[in-house]
Amino acid sequence: MKCPNCGKWNQANLPHCRYCGVELPVESAYGQRGVPAWQLELEDKVRAKSYIRVDEDGEIENTVDPRDKLAGDMAELKKRKLEGEQKQRQLRQEAARRGMAPSGRTVRTTSNRSTFFSAYDNPETTLRPVAPELVEESRVEPDARQVYPAKYRASYTPQPEDEVYGYGNARRIVNIQKPSDDENIYDGYHDTSAYLPAYANQDEYENSLRMRQASPGRKPRRYRGRRILRFLAIAGCLGLSAWLILSFVLPRFFFNNDSEKRVATVTPTIRNDLAAHTIAIPGEEGQRITIRELRTSGIVTGGVATFDVQDHVWYDDYDDYLQDTMTVTLTPYVITDSGKQKPLEPVRYEIDIPLSPIELSKPDGTYKEVSTAMYNIVFYVRSGSSVTINGEDYSDLVNTDDGKVSYNATVQPIGNNDINIVVRSQYCRENTMKITLYREKQEIPLDLASDIGTTSSAPSGMMTVRGTTLPGAIVRVLSPYVDLDITNTDLDGSFSFNAKFDTIGNNTIVITADYPGKATTRVEHVVYYVPNIDVYSRKAWDIKTQYTDLMDNMSLRKANSQIYVCKGVITSIDTTKPQRAYMNIGTEDSPKMIYVENSSRTTWEAGKYYRLYADAYGMYDSIPWLITRYTYTD
């Protein structure tokens, strides 16, 4: 800061002059904002644009795009470059007016070592050439000049017209009105943006332009080179287009129909409730196409000959075919007018070979523990199927109406008793099933009568049980019973009693036999007991009115096998084996849900109304769970 008293300069942050001691003004040193004036001049005059970004959570963030600053810097650089060229042009003009020769150099934005040489030695490195097209069209500024290189200096004789340039005997440039065919035109004093387009206004491009050394009247060599390159490019494109047309377009256009005529289509379908395939073979109208394997032929109608082939014709002759798929090959041929056979492309497709159906009804699974010497196995097959059980043919047991098979299997007390079932149905491959009946090994034989049932609906709730054991053995009944008769046990080992069923549903009969020196034999037999509907329904309570009581006293109601009548709609099926479902016994506005398990002979459907008779079983998903014994649709 300059002292107002002595006129000497001091640092801007000093409160007093270091020479005369006069107090320096603070306002002039720091300005109104409290900072030096030179710092204010360096601040950006235009604030950068800010962008407001809002994310999906509603958070707002102000950011600045760095590309805006980069664009501003590039624009500022361009501006300063143009201003520098204008300033250089002004300096040269001022030097020319003072009688000094101009340097001939231009402002460059790229490094170039050759700029240390003079324009007189190598004008290409310092002066800007003018585009040849502008020279031909006479669109060159009057100040544009030709430069003579060093090879013309020694033999050159100054001419009077050289005086107009004021350069003396060391002539460097000549008038454009008398051009030399061997030299280029340069413009070292004007911005070439007046001649060249914006995209080509770069130092690298400007310094690379050359004027073709040719005599007047002939086009520049560079222009002719462009024409040659353009001609070669056009010729190459035309050749490529012709090759594509000949190689791809024309063959597809002329031969597409012929190729389609030789392609057959295979479609899966159903014929007479059996799996089949429809084969459509294209051909000319009226042709006869024959399939050799099927010994059949068809006439081409509507452009195709159609054949319906059932899948089973391919494997009917195989007795032990166990694969689930099979590849089929057809050999079609056309009979020509002369009677000759013209083969067509073979047709291949794959077919599925289904298993012979078999559905096990009794027992529930393929493994069962039994206590009797005889066990009844029930399963279903397709009517007309051949059935083999343990190597013996039992096809005569197949019911002709529903395909039911009932087989009494002998069960020995040896542990596992395997029952192998083989079924072969028409148009199906062979299917097998293995059932294991387990009967515990016995040192004391204890057999129940073969006619003892597994279900009972007697009103009295009892069933007579008969059996045999080792004569002299002691027979005990551990389950509820009455009237045990062991009169003839010491003679022939026979005994009998009346089993008492105190539970609705499954009841287990337990019998033991003891003999000195032998291990005790224990036999268990399960009987499903449900009274008939007349007896069962008399004890039924209305579940809608007793809903709260059932929820509060579920353990007591279950122990007493309390029966309820349930009327409502099955809303959804939960499981199928066994069938369990949700039932609404209330209304749509005020629903009351129960969970029911189907032990009746009727299969439920969702959305239908039923009247069920069921007994309490427990809780499921916080609602009552009942076992249904009888189902009615009214």
Side-chain angles (χ1 to χ4, degrees):
M1 172 176 288
K2 188 175 182 180
C3 178
N5 184 30
C6 62
K8 295 184 179 181
W9 290 92
N10 297 271
Q11 294 182 358
N13 57 355
L14 294 177
H16 300 277
C17 179
R18 60 183 297 184
Y19 301 101
C20 62
V22 177
E23 183 177 358
L24 298 175
V26 178
E27 181 70 17
S28 60
Y30 292 94
Q32 296 180 358
R33 299 170 57 183
V35 296
W38 62 271
Q39 292 186 3
L40 297 177
E41 294 179 358
L42 295 180
E43 291 184 353
D44 295 337
K45 294 182 174 55
V46 180
R47 291 188 62 185
K49 295 181 181 179
S50 62
Y51 296 86
I52 299 177
R53 307 182 188 274
V54 181
D55 59 11
E56 58 184 7
D57 297 330
E59 297 293 336
I60 300 176
E61 178 186 5
N62 292 331
T63 60
V64 178
D65 195 342
R67 293 177 293 182
D68 291 342
K69 185 177 182 304
L70 179 61
D73 294 343
M74 294 176 65
E76 182 67 20
L77 178 62
K78 178 68 175 179
K79 178 182 176 182
R80 288 190 281 110
K81 176 182 176 181
L82 295 178
E83 290 176 353
E85 292 179 353
Q86 293 175 2
K87 185 66 175 177
Q88 184 187 47
R89 192 159 50 244
Q90 293 175 2
L91 293 176
R92 286 175 177 168
Q93 291 176 357
E94 182 67 23
R97 285 195 298 269
R98 294 179 182 181
M100 294 182 293
S103 63
R105 299 180 182 275
T106 60
V107 177
R108 303 179 60 84
T109 59
T110 58
S111 61
N112 194 333
R113 298 178 182 178
S114 60
T115 54
F116 291 99
F117 300 95
S118 65
Y120 191 71
D121 296 330
N122 188 4
E124 305 293 344
T125 61
T126 55
L127 300 181
R128 300 185 179 182
V130 180
E133 293 82 356
L134 300 179
V135 177
E136 294 179 358
E137 298 174 2
S138 299
R139 293 170 53 188
V140 183
E141 294 293 335
D143 293 337
R145 300 290 184 269
Q146 284 183 322
V147 177
Y148 278 83
K151 62 182 180 178
Y152 292 102
R153 294 181 194 174
S155 59
Y156 178 75
T157 303
Q159 300 295 331
E161 60 267 19
D162 293 340
E163 300 298 332
V164 298
Y165 302 111
Y167 295 149
N169 295 330
R171 179 181 177 183
R172 295 180 61 201
I173 57 178
V174 295
N175 195 334
I176 190 62
Q177 305 301 330
K178 297 181 180 180
S180 174
D181 295 338
D182 297 331
E183 300 301 325
N184 295 338
I185 301 297
Y186 294 92
D187 181 6
Y189 306 97
H190 297 278
D191 187 4
T192 54
S193 60
Y195 304 122
L196 302 179
Y199 65 84
N201 190 16
Q202 302 175 2
D203 287 334
E204 291 82 3
Y205 179 80
E206 294 167 348
N207 289 337
S208 64
L209 293 177
R210 299 292 183 270
M211 183 176 180
R212 179 175 177 270
Q213 297 179 359
S215 60
R218 294 184 61 186
K219 294 183 178 181
R221 183 181 304 170
R222 179 178 179 181
Y223 180 70
R224 188 170 64 182
R226 286 182 181 175
R227 293 190 60 185
I228 294 175
L229 291 177
R230 189 182 299 113
F231 174 77
L232 293 176
I234 294 174
C237 292
L238 292 177
L240 179 61
S241 301
W243 178 77
L244 291 175
I245 292 174
L246 294 176
S247 301
F248 297 99
V249 178
L250 292 181
R252 291 177 60 87
F253 180 77
F254 288 105
F255 303 108
N256 190 34
N257 293 334
D258 292 340
S259 61
E260 289 181 355
K261 291 180 181 178
R262 296 296 178 262
V263 176
T265 59
V266 181
T267 305
T269 184
I270 299 295
R271 290 292 181 269
N272 298 328
D273 296 331
L274 297 174
H277 283 79
T278 299
I279 297 96
I281 303 177
E284 297 180 3
E285 200 71 19
Q287 281 185 335
R288 178 180 294 277
I289 298 179
T290 301
I291 297 179
R292 183 167 301 168
E293 290 77 8
L294 301 177
R295 295 183 177 87
T296 183
S297 61
I299 303 299
V300 176
T301 304
V304 293
T306 305
F307 302 88
D308 290 330
V309 184
Q310 293 184 338
D311 293 349
H312 67 84
V313 301
W314 302 105
Y315 54 83
D316 276 346
D317 296 336
Y318 294 91
D319 294 333
D320 55 351
Y321 198 87
L322 300 179
Q323 297 183 9
D324 55 353
T325 60
M326 181 179 183
T327 302
V328 176
T329 302
L330 299 178
T331 309
Y333 59 89
V334 177
I335 301 178
T336 62
D337 296 338
S338 61
K340 296 183 178 180
Q341 297 180 358
K342 180 182 178 182
L344 302 178
E345 289 292 331
V347 179
R348 295 182 177 86
Y349 62 96
E350 194 172 78
I351 62 174
D352 296 327
I353 305 177
L355 277 172
S356 299
I358 178 172
E359 180 181 357
L360 183 63
S361 177
K362 181 184 177 182
D364 296 335
T366 58
Y367 180 85
K368 179 70 174 179
E369 294 184 2
V370 299
S371 58
T372 60
M374 192 74 66
Y375 186 83
N376 182 246
I377 298 176
V378 179
F379 58 93
Y380 291 86
V381 297
R382 185 180 296 174
S383 298
S385 301
S386 62
V387 178
T388 303
I389 302 176
N390 287 342
E392 297 184 13
D393 188 8
Y394 287 91
S395 301
D396 56 340
L397 297 179
V398 180
N399 190 295
T400 57
D401 295 331
D402 56 2
K404 180 180 178 181
V405 179
S406 180
Y407 171 72
N408 292 322
T410 301
V411 185
Q412 300 292 336
I414 58 175
N416 291 336
N417 292 260
D418 294 334
I419 311 298
N420 296 309
I421 302 174
V422 179
V423 179
R424 177 66 186 271
S425 302
Q426 188 179 20
Y427 310 140
C428 298
R429 57 192 171 101
E430 188 176 272
N431 194 3
T432 60
M433 177 180 290
K434 180 180 179 180
I435 301 174
T436 300
L437 301 178
Y438 177 81
R439 186 180 177 190
E440 189 176 359
K441 297 180 180 181
Q442 299 175 350
E443 291 188 14
I444 303 173
L446 179 59
D447 297 326
L448 299 180
S450 61
D451 59 350
I452 184 173
T454 57
T455 61
S456 175
S457 59
S460 62
M462 291 186 293
M463 184 178 71
T464 302
V465 178
R466 296 185 305 274
T468 59
T469 184
L470 184 67
I474 300 175
V475 177
R476 294 185 178 89
V477 181
L478 304 182
S479 58
Y481 72 97
V482 295
D483 303 332
L484 176 61
D485 184 7
I486 56 174
T487 305
N488 298 323
T489 303
D490 292 338
L491 299 176
D492 55 7
S494 62
F495 63 92
S496 66
F497 63 92
N498 290 326
K500 186 178 180 180
F501 305 133
D502 54 0
T503 302
I504 296 176
N506 292 328
N507 293 262
T508 304
I509 300 173
V510 182
I511 307 171
T512 62
D514 294 297
Y515 194 86
K518 295 182 180 294
T520 301
T521 299
R522 178 187 176 96
V523 172
E524 296 182 359
H525 183 69
V526 179
V527 178
Y528 178 78
Y529 169 71
V530 177
N532 58 50
I533 186 60
D534 294 335
V535 177
Y536 189 78
S537 60
R538 293 173 189 174
K539 301 178 182 180
W541 293 359
D542 183 13
I543 193 172
K544 189 173 183 180
T545 59
Q546 300 296 324
Y547 188 83
T548 304
D549 175 78
L550 177 60
M551 293 281 290
D552 296 339
N553 305 284
M554 176 57 71
S555 299
L556 178 61
R557 302 308 178 207
K558 177 183 178 182
N560 296 334
S561 298
Q562 182 58 52
I563 303 169
Y564 294 89
V565 56
C566 312
K567 301 177 182 179
V569 177
I570 299 294
T571 58
S572 62
I573 304 296
D574 189 26
T575 61
T576 56
K577 266 191 174 183
Q579 190 178 36
R580 296 171 182 168
Y582 290 93
M583 185 177 193
N584 182 14
I585 59 175
T587 61
E588 293 183 359
D589 298 333
S590 180
K592 285 185 178 180
M593 304 301 298
I594 61 175
Y595 190 73
V596 288
E597 181 177 329
N598 191 1
S599 293
S600 64
R601 297 180 180 180
T602 304
T603 302
W604 299 332
E605 295 181 17
K608 284 193 175 183
Y609 178 89
Y610 294 100
R611 175 165 55 94
L612 309 178
Y613 288 93
D615 46 83
Y617 182 75
M619 298 293 293
Y620 181 84
D621 199 14
S622 301
I623 59 176
W625 184 358
L626 298 95
I627 307 298
T628 302
R629 311 299 179 178
Y630 296 97
T631 299
Y632 295 92
T633 57
D634 56 349

